[in-house]
Amino acid sequence: MSFLDELNPQQREAVETTEGPVLILAGAGSGKTRVITFRIAYLIEKMGVMPEAILAVTFTNKAAAEMAERVEKLVGGLSIAKPVISTFHSFCVRVLRRDIEALRIPSTVPGQPPIGLTKNFVIYDESDQQQVVKGVMRRLGLDDKELTPRVVLSRISWAKNHMLDPQEVYLQSADPKTERVAHIYEEYRKELRKANAMDFDDLLLEAARLLKSVAAVREYYNRRFQYLLVDEYQDTNRPQYELMRLLAGERHNVCAVGDEDQSIYSWRGADIRNILEFERDFPEAKIVRLEQNYRSTQNILGAASALVANNVRRKGKNLWTSRQGGAKVGYYEAPDGENEALFAADTISRYMKAVLEEGGTGRAAVLYRTNSQSRLFEEAMRRYQMKYHVVGGFSFYERAEIKDMISYLKVVQNPDDSVALLRVINTPARGIGKSTLETIERLALETGLSMWGAAGEAVARGLVPGRACSALKAFRELIEDGRAMLAGTFGERLKEAADEAGSGNQEVLARTGGAPAPPQEENDSTDFDPANFSFDFGANAEEAAPDGATETGTGKDPEGEEKSVEAVEGFRAPGSAANTAELLKFLIDRTGYIKLLEDEDTPEAYSRIENLRELVNAAMDSKDRGESLDEFLDHAALVSDADQYDESAQITLMTLHAAKGLEFPLVVLAGMEEGLFPHSRTLTEPDQIEEERRLCYVGMTRAMDTLVLSRAVYRRRYGTDMPEASVPSRFLDEVPAELVEELGGSRRRSYKEEYSRTGSDYGSYSSSRGTGRRAAMPPHGQDTEGAHYSYEDEDQSAAWDPARVTAKPARPLQSYNSIDNIAEFFASRGKNFARPKMSVEEPPGKVGFRPGQKVKHPKYGEGTVFRREGDGEDAKITVQFPRFGLKKLVEKYAQLEKA
């Protein structure tokens, strides 16, 4: 029996088509790796091709090792020689070690060696590259705080992935920062050549340049490698594409294997056009579609296929499976994010118990769009006492930026915590260097003081240089201000500092709490106005609270005179202690942490920003539970305990990008909301929306037996006091209703009914294919230039009819705080949950607007009353406005009218 008998007809066709260019469109779970390895075995065993004449390239060492192992099992005894199965970078190193000196040119100086890299070149890793860039920037007199080495390297890498040299980057530059990057790029390249070194991008570029420039070398590799196989072709960038074209030679025996529907790495430089335009490059190419899926049930496959069919940039496949039927795709609409996480944990817990009773071993995964979403799921898993593993990153509280801000909180709580202090004293960089820290440590040892006390002593005695002394003063003032906020004495502290410094220095005092601002932080911190204590990052000035919105602190009357604002129920009284969330916002603002990450302008930096904002959300949840700062820090310490989870756990939490290539019997795909998935940064770009849809397709096709989609009706956004209403992801509407089973929660209508019942023009922003799907694009004529999009602060209503949100008040009006939510969740599953009983007196004689009543506001438009607190004119009412979320207003100032 031939090993070809193990293949289905399409797989066999792909294996036996050996001559000429072949494009194998391998759908998810269709046996792509099997086809590649069987094709190599077929060439060796049936076609008599020498193993060393075959080159197969892929993207990871793991994939290359797996292919080599499978080929060895198939043809191991036939030849001592082995086919070359390698990653792109490893293959390029092999080529360059052999022939790079062919690129050297004679020196114009007699007696000098040729110019160019030699065979014993070194490869610089990211740390080495940063050191080179730092040196270049230092010589050019550039501030590495305004333009960080990491940002420069990401821009240089982008240019190299698009095969742009420094001159081309300079000519294409549209701003001074890009011009500076071009200059650094040129000097960086010179430094690498001087050191006989290359970075990882250079390996691809130099190999392609070698094959293109030196005919003899190109012909050698064309003769040697008669058959070329490229795995994950949809993820290739331009240098890899050029390399493949040069290696193909005149035979064009190229076999490219990939799936355009799984192209999800454009942010790394991957170009989907490589696979979409394969026939243009090779007109004689044969296309083989692998459409039989061996992983998922038909219902899961049908749902995923219907979703991705809405993309325009695809070749198209009709996936099918012999696993007919199966469970429908589950859908759960949770009242809020915490309930969504609890539902996922409960679903996985019941699944694991059922599998265990049958004597099996279960595996499950929770997939989400961004790393910051992992926190709620981690805490839910712990509540159910289930071990889990976070893939593609640390546990939420173990991430560097989270540990930094937790350390700031620890220092505010206890300045003598030397471990926490050493972590943050120069984070972000404020000019406190190694020598200064050594001086403080030596002083602490000599005097028996803590590091905090020694720092104060060093400043008082002038034991450190002037710049470092100013930085230390600013740091100590920052911590003291935080402690004053915690104690409720921040106002008095500012007043005392103002009295001492005089009225001419109010702006500096308000920003730095009385300390002179160090020069390097001049542009890093945001103005801090103690009279208007607000840290709403990214909010537009026009979104400020109207006259009816209550605020804390000191207000001004229409004539501009200050007037005191009395404490009102539900708001922190002026002068009272700040809660943990307010303290966190204050620290993030004063340190300039988010601004520095925004300046980096990389996907990793934005992911870290989302993590910081999720930490503030965690602090708001802590406030809802009535926890103090001590209790919040205790909770974080317990959650981050490394021995609380292990990598052998059967439950995996990971981002959708990290899940590619994996499979699980049970998959929960969470956060199906506009602005979250698809992500807010993609909403204005059709090509990026298509990539988000492909990412959703990848997530759905990870499921073997059971797939559950979930979303939260209300989700807390960056520490807001009240959760804000979300809009269902457009991807939910693209899954056929007949394949979906609702699993409870607050959902009452199908996706399209939510549009049709409002009379909105469903599909008015449809794609060019006429599918009737709405894209989150602004209405015609609406100016979006210069808009800053972030999930936490953007107005998501531009492309969605507001009426679909306003009609929700039929749902019982209740508070989605942690205690109520958890109790309700466990009670619905017949489980006991002890919670404190709180007696709330119903205020007598309520008048005015009632919950559920339609109202109209002069600025926010129409809305629905969500909650009423208090009596008469002093009553406070919470209103849900479709475009602006939940707003808490004092009735007598709110200027509300009946709608």
Side-chain angles (χ1 to χ4, degrees), residues 43 143 317 321 349 437 459 503 506 569 577 580 611 764 779 815:
L43 287 169
D143 185 2
K317 296 175 291 296
T321 178
S349 175
L437 289 177
V459 170
S503 59
Q506 295 296 318
E569 184 183 353
T580 305
N611 291 338
S764 59
S815 169

Side-chain angles (χ1 to χ4, degrees), residues 74-91:
L74 290 171
V75 296
L78 297 180
S79 172
I80 297 176
K82 307 294 180 188
V84 178
I85 302 176
S86 169
T87 64
F88 276 100
H89 290 88
S90 296
F91 173 73

